[in-house]
Amino acid sequence: MDVDRQVENNDGREPALRVLTYLNNYQPGGVERVAFRLNAAWQAQGICAMVVVGRGCGPARASAHGLQCATLLDGSRWYHRWPLIGIIADLPGIIRKARPDVLFCAGNTYSLAMVLMRLRLGRNCPPIIAKISNDLKRRDQPPEVRFFYQRWLKIQGRFIAHFVGMAMPMRREIEQYCGVSADRVAIINDPVLHATDVDRLGKIAAGRQPARPGRHFLAIGRLAPQKNLSLLLEAFSQVATAHDRLTIIGEGPDRRKLTAQATRLGIAGRIDMPGFMTDMDRWLASADALVLSSDYEGVPAVIIEAIAANLPIIATDCCVSMAEITGHGRFARLVPVGDAAALATAMAAQPLARADLAAARAHVAAFTVEAGAAAYARLMRTVAATARPR
């Protein structure tokens, strides 16, 4: 699309704030979904929001519906073979042409690309606002890997203007691991849902199926090592009765490994893995509990969605914010990370009581796109206004 279009308001007031977000593709990750939603909300507020997408393929392309500016790097002579070289070679030119006031780093995955832009463009690089979308302690990593990862976080602290944590407990973690002062950290609850989503999900409880033999456990997430779905299969095998079922919604590189494990554990007939789904409502409506078995997370969107649907939750304590986002015991049972026995015990415990629906709705109201987009817009204007002239 043409990035040279006029963005000045029709009544002659100062030009609209320009924001540029880079995303790899249209894969159905939570970071990407939230980024598309934020950009759409910013455009509705009059912000000139551009999303630069590396590859124009992926099942979540519909997430960008309605966005007026999406420029693809598909035409790059480098990007298809060496994505990182393509980013270094082509993204600076797009930034120079678009002249954004702010670069938005949608999650930890994109911090390398943003630091490279800062190095390539130097003083001409717009200030970068980076959302911390994942755990920074990374207890899952071997000590030697964690050593270098934590040094990398300190490098980010030197080049990124402002950081955003997705829940209040992340503030100290960001200050500590990125080596930045408190005035460079903002807390904006992750904008997981639209206000209309809260209303829609709140109606799911009333439409749930009547009691039936056995329990239906639900897991939602990529079939990838971070989610530690092997742990979930092990725990399920310890507690599952003949009528119990486990559905895992998502796709990823661990599918074959998980299928083989389910067969080995003798539970393959009680496991469903239908792949990536765009409509979660019917799955949330038919489940008795959501189970999250991750080794690490930031603020997992699926937890907020399950609370909105008033679905009981069993989860590993996989991030510094988990206790807060689950209401300190009101909406979830938390177990230690990597502990199959503890997860099995929590899954076996009865009853799996549902929380008060009004309390659940009030809790998730802080995680709406409407609230988050407005908070980000205020922060971006402040950061842009205080940046040195380019």
Side-chain angles (χ1 to χ4, degrees):
M1 287 199 175
D2 182 10
V3 299
D4 286 334
R5 68 192 186 287
Q6 180 71 22
V7 295
E8 187 173 302
N9 294 337
N10 292 333
D11 58 6
R13 290 181 296 179
E14 65 176 303
L17 182 72
R18 295 173 179 254
V19 180
L20 187 146
T21 304
Y22 167 73
L23 300 174
N24 288 331
N25 49 41
Y26 292 103
Q27 293 304 313
V31 165
E32 289 75 18
R33 181 176 60 173
V34 170
F36 283 126
R37 287 184 167 192
L38 279 173
N39 274 271
W42 293 334
Q43 285 192 170
Q45 295 174 17
I47 293 172
C48 179
M50 168 180 289
V51 181
V52 178
V53 183
R55 290 190 176 129
C57 59
R61 190 180 179 100
S63 301
H65 178 70
L67 286 178
Q68 297 176 8
C69 319
T71 302
L72 303 181
L73 293 175
D74 272 335
S76 166
R77 61 175 178 157
W78 299 106
Y79 194 84
H80 279 286
R81 184 169 296 182
W82 298 293
L84 189 58
I85 294 178
I87 291 169
I88 296 170
D90 297 322
L91 189 54
I94 295 174
I95 292 171
R96 291 190 189 100
K97 190 176 183 181
R99 295 178 291 112
D101 300 296
V102 172
L103 297 181
F104 177 57
C105 179
N108 298 51
T109 304
Y110 299 102
S111 57
L112 176 58
M114 293 297 100
V115 169
L116 289 173
M117 292 305 98
R118 182 69 176 81
L119 290 171
R120 285 274 279 126
L121 295 168
R123 293 170 61 90
N124 293 319
C125 184
I128 301 164
I129 295 177
K131 184 179 84 169
I132 299 299
S133 61
N134 241 326
D135 173 63
L136 298 182
K137 292 183 179 180
R138 293 303 301 270
R139 293 164 291 185
D140 61 299
Q141 294 177 338
E144 60 275 14
V145 175
R146 193 181 310 126
F147 173 85
F148 287 105
Y149 177 67
Q150 291 176 359
R151 296 308 178 274
W152 164 236
L153 293 175
K154 290 293 197 298
I155 292 172
Q156 293 179 40
R158 292 175 55 193
F159 291 101
I160 290 172
H162 214 93
F163 292 87
V164 176
M166 300 187 295
M168 191 58 70
M170 295 181 73
R171 177 181 290 279
R172 289 189 61 187
E173 187 177 70
I174 295 170
E175 292 175 18
Q176 176 185 351
Y177 287 100
C178 296
V180 296
S181 56
D183 62 343
R184 290 176 58 196
V185 181
I187 299 300
I188 301 174
N189 288 323
D190 200 25
V192 173
L193 303 169
H194 285 290
T196 53
D197 295 328
V198 176
D199 293 336
R200 189 192 78 252
L201 291 168
K203 296 175 182 177
I204 286 179
R208 280 201 171 90
Q209 298 174 2
R212 60 198 182 285
R215 296 161 297 171
H216 180 195
F217 296 102
L218 176 67
I220 302 172
R222 289 190 70 241
L223 311 185
Q226 173 188 353
K227 306 301 180 181
N228 202 350
L229 293 164
S230 294
L231 183 83
L232 175 56
L233 293 183
E234 176 64 33
F236 181 73
S237 71
Q238 295 178 25
V239 301
T241 68
H243 296 291
D244 291 341
R245 298 200 64 80
L246 168 63
T247 299
I248 303 174
I249 305 293
E251 196 52 81
D254 281 0
R255 172 174 285 277
R256 183 175 298 180
K257 170 188 169 184
L258 295 169
T259 300
Q261 182 185 3
T263 300
R264 187 171 64 254
L265 292 171
I267 55 174
R270 284 168 281 174
I271 305 292
D272 295 313
M273 292 194 295
F276 170 70
M277 298 285 172
T278 56
D279 181 9
M280 291 292 102
D281 288 18
R282 70 185 183 95
W283 302 100
L284 292 169
S286 66
D288 295 303
L290 177 89
V291 187
L292 183 82
S293 54
S294 297
D295 286 337
Y296 63 93
E297 292 282 354
V299 169
V302 66
I303 294 292
I304 306 302
E305 291 169 339
I307 294 173
N310 202 24
L311 183 64
I313 299 166
I314 302 161
T316 53
D317 192 9
C318 54
C319 68
V320 68
S321 304
M322 186 60 77
E324 177 162 307
I325 67 173
T326 57
H328 297 280
R330 285 186 297 163
F331 307 113
R333 295 174 184 161
L334 299 184
V335 302
V337 169
D339 191 332
L343 185 61
T345 298
M347 292 171 69
Q350 293 290 345
L352 292 170
R354 303 193 189 281
D356 176 72
L357 181 57
R361 286 175 57 86
H363 183 73
V364 300
F367 296 88
T368 61
V369 175
E370 289 79 4
Y376 270 108
R378 290 192 294 270
L379 174 63
M380 291 188 297
R381 289 192 174 94
T382 299
V383 171
T386 56
R388 288 180 293 184
R390 300 192 301 278

